[in-house]
Amino acid sequence: MRVTILGSGSAGNCTLVETKTTRVLIDAGLSAKQVRLRMKAMGRDVGKIDGVVITHAHGDHSAHAQSYAQAFCTNVYMTESTRRNVRFHAEAALRVYGANSAFEVGDLAIEPHAVPHDAPQVALRMRDEHCCVGLATDLGEVEASLVDHLKACDVLMIESNYDDDMLTRGPYPEHIQRRVRGRLGHLDNLHTAELLRELTARTHTVVLMHLSKKNNTEEVARAVAQDALSTKDIDLYLAQQDSPMSVPLSRTLTLNYGLDASERNSTCSI
Ligand SMILES: [Zn+2]
Ligand SMILES: [Zn+2]
């Protein structure tokens, strides 16, 4: 499997997930033109896209769903709740999935898990025969069932949206602050850190996602996450809004993994 985050944040989200035979875009928050440009910048051939999976109806994840269906000539997967809240008229390309029902696009198995947000939203666990990757952004609270869902992942891409002090002192009016902090809002650095503390030796890489440009900084988010991971052998990365990144799905063999090294995806990359 190969994972390329094309952009992450409130200005637009899109991640390319590739297996040996299948290529899927997760979310449609960047324009189709930007997707092509960023894939090209990462040395990825735009080629065939086998499906687009929309996590929820907010524009930074779904605004370009219709144009992806046409530009990439592909099916678009969304839950019924999301379908009711997005402008999407390419009915022939629509595929509806259940918020807690596993489905497949080609040889990529996708396991959604409903999470609390102010639009019906899912975290995703994606696997091929070698690798299990989790993606969870846009959630106000981490429920115990989600921790179980994500602990099975080799690689976890997880929201670390805001720093609570910065949100208090920042530009958002009080009612927006309440929305961001609420059970249906976003995860702050400390709540993300609580989840990171639960991870086991199964997980070798964490990518912090969807950082707020107004209410967070890379330095603060990284420091809080590093503290939570200080006793663990887990590599930490930060996704960017404006530049794509390739997510390392395996570690180089020169690193010392400890006793469980053989279980760690030495064959993860295609
Ligand atoms: Zn978002
Ligand atoms: Zn959202």
Side-chain angles (χ1 to χ4, degrees):
M1 192 191 289
R2 183 178 279 185
V3 175
T4 308
I5 299 168
L6 299 176
S8 176
S10 59
N13 296 272
C14 186
T15 295
L16 173 68
V17 179
E18 300 165 283
T19 66
K20 276 184 191 142
T21 63
T22 305
R23 308 173 88 212
V24 174
L25 292 170
I26 308 296
D27 281 330
L30 302 174
S31 69
K33 182 180 174 188
Q34 274 300 315
V35 168
R36 290 184 198 282
L37 285 172
R38 295 183 190 202
M39 283 174 71
K40 205 169 167 197
M42 295 300 285
R44 322 295 306 125
D45 172 26
V46 176
K48 185 165 81 77
I49 299 292
D50 298 285
V52 179
V53 178
I54 306 296
T55 59
H56 68 299
H58 286 160
D60 57 320
H61 299 260
S62 71
H64 301 278
Q66 172 91 26
S67 98
Y68 283 20
Q70 289 153 352
F72 304 125
C73 196
T74 190
N75 294 327
V76 178
Y77 297 72
M78 59 183 85
T79 63
E80 181 61 32
S81 314
T82 296
R83 190 194 66 80
R84 285 199 294 268
N85 290 291
V86 295
R87 286 164 56 87
F88 189 81
H89 305 298
E91 290 298 326
L94 176 66
R95 299 290 180 273
V96 174
Y97 68 88
N100 289 293
S101 303
F103 63 102
E104 290 175 1
V105 181
D107 67 351
L108 180 68
I110 302 177
E111 299 163 289
H113 185 94
V115 294
H117 191 49
D118 51 2
Q121 160 69 329
V122 292
L124 298 175
R125 201 165 63 184
M126 297 167 280
R127 0 170 142 250
D128 67 0
E129 55 186 334
H130 300 301
C131 228
C132 180
V133 176
L135 172 64
T137 70
D138 299 68
L139 65 166
E141 192 174 87
V142 177
E143 294 168 334
S145 59
L146 178 67
V147 177
D148 292 339
H149 196 68
L150 297 178
K151 270 164 96 172
C153 295
D154 306 298
V155 173
L156 176 59
M157 298 178 278
I158 177 79
E159 169 170 71
S160 193
N161 187 266
Y162 68 97
D163 170 78
D164 198 64
D165 287 341
M166 288 182 69
L167 180 63
T168 303
R169 289 183 276 104
Y172 286 4
E174 207 166 312
H175 72 281
I176 302 282
Q177 289 189 27
R178 264 201 307 277
R179 191 215 132 201
V180 171
R181 278 197 185 93
R183 183 174 176 272
L184 301 180
H186 289 272
L187 280 190
D188 78 321
N189 298 336
L190 291 175
H191 283 101
T192 301
E194 276 180 28
L195 169 59
L196 298 184
R197 286 192 178 87
E198 301 277 334
L199 297 177
T200 67
R202 170 73 190 256
T203 304
H204 62 71
T205 296
V206 165
V207 184
L208 300 183
M209 306 283 286
H210 214 301
L211 269 69
S212 167
K213 282 197 164 160
K214 295 192 171 85
N215 303 306
N216 210 353
T217 66
E218 290 192 9
E219 293 71 24
V220 170
R222 184 189 295 277
V224 174
Q226 266 172 346
D227 184 56
L229 296 174
S230 60
T231 59
K232 301 180 192 295
D233 185 19
I234 294 179
D235 294 334
L236 180 67
Y237 300 88
L238 274 71
Q240 306 289 318
Q241 179 69 81
D242 299 318
S243 54
M245 70 171 279
S246 179
V247 178
L249 297 192
S250 62
R251 286 173 151 171
T252 62
L253 296 174
T254 52
L255 289 178
N256 180 5
Y257 300 125
L259 290 176
D260 62 345
S262 61
E263 296 167 11
R264 283 190 167 173
N265 304 311
S266 54
T267 56
C268 211
S269 300
I270 57 173

